[in-house]
Amino acid sequence: FFFFFFFYGKAKKIISNAQLIYPSSTICVAPPTAGRPVGTTKDNKLLLEQKKSNVVASIAVEYHNLKKSSPAKLPDHTLHNLTEFYIKESGIRDEDPNYTISHKTLLSRITTGKLIKKTKGTNSPMECVEPILVQLILQKAQMGQHLNMADTLHLANSLIEGTIYQQSMINYKKQIGCTSPNLHQLGPA
């Protein structure tokens, strides 16, 4: 029981002194027992998706740079040739022989100026706090003190109270149009 409050105090101190940074996610693979190691199929799929995303960004940037630096019109099929080159060089065709990239996707990125897509959707303002919150919930569960939703929200609110994460959450709620009087708290919006 004491350990939970000790860890909670340390977590609160870390969160209070933290800067708002969204860490890149890490992938953990359990050691294999038999057959494929647990998670490797998922990991390979994630790596392939990351590879595909990088290829699309590379093609968009390369084509944009060629277009800017060329005084005349680019030769026909330049975009197609770039696409085929990057797909072949990345090795995506080995893993997914039917993979294609729509030229509309590439041209859309170039015309909007968003050559590199950073994320799918919006980052959670609680992304950095969630691992600590999960650790606290698991510790409470190991002590036989299971938390319901209200207790978990109260714990999360007490963790971020007065920190940059609370301000980030308030800004996020305002950005999505939340008009709740409880903007300063996590919970039903």
Side-chain angles (χ1 to χ4, degrees):
F1 188 69
F2 170 75
F3 183 72
F4 172 78
F5 286 107
F6 174 75
F7 187 76
Y8 175 82
K10 283 212 173 269
K12 180 74 173 163
K13 187 174 181 182
I14 289 169
I15 290 171
S16 296
N17 296 331
Q19 294 179 358
L20 189 58
I21 298 172
Y22 295 112
S24 61
S25 60
T26 56
I27 301 170
C28 300
V29 179
T33 53
R36 283 190 184 137
V38 175
T40 56
T41 304
K42 181 180 176 186
D43 293 345
N44 289 340
K45 184 177 179 184
L46 289 173
L47 289 173
L48 181 61
E49 291 301 316
Q50 183 64 42
K51 214 186 272 188
K52 288 177 180 179
S53 178
N54 289 345
V55 165
V56 172
S58 298
I59 296 167
V61 169
E62 181 74 22
Y63 187 75
H64 176 70
N65 290 341
L66 283 172
K67 214 171 170 187
K68 279 178 70 176
S69 65
S70 176
K73 182 182 174 198
L74 292 173
D76 291 343
H77 303 294
T78 303
L79 187 57
H80 175 74
N81 293 340
L82 269 175
T83 303
E84 288 303 313
F85 173 77
Y86 274 99
I87 290 174
K88 187 184 285 185
E89 288 297 311
S90 67
I92 292 175
R93 281 277 157 77
D94 299 336
E95 299 173 51
D96 186 357
N98 298 325
Y99 179 67
T100 59
I101 300 171
S102 167
H103 291 187
K104 286 182 182 179
T105 300
L106 298 168
L107 294 173
S108 169
R109 284 193 180 193
I110 293 165
T111 54
T112 59
K114 297 179 181 177
L115 302 176
I116 299 173
K117 188 174 179 184
K118 293 187 170 75
T119 61
K120 291 182 179 179
T122 308
N123 287 333
S124 166
M126 293 291 291
E127 191 172 358
C128 293
V129 179
E130 285 171 4
I132 295 170
L133 183 61
V134 169
Q135 282 289 354
L136 292 172
I137 291 168
L138 291 174
Q139 284 182 6
K140 291 284 268 185
Q142 287 175 346
M143 295 185 318
Q145 299 175 355
H146 302 282
L147 298 175
N148 60 24
M149 187 189 317
D151 292 339
T152 304
L153 286 172
H154 180 72
L155 178 62
N157 283 321
S158 69
L159 266 177
I160 66 167
E161 188 176 356
T163 66
I164 58 173
Y165 298 106
Q166 184 179 31
Q167 189 58 46
S168 175
M169 180 198 46
I170 291 169
N171 293 342
Y172 174 76
K173 283 184 167 185
K174 287 178 182 175
Q175 181 183 4
I176 63 170
C178 180
T179 57
S180 170
N182 295 329
L183 279 179
H184 63 288
Q185 292 183 332
L186 291 169

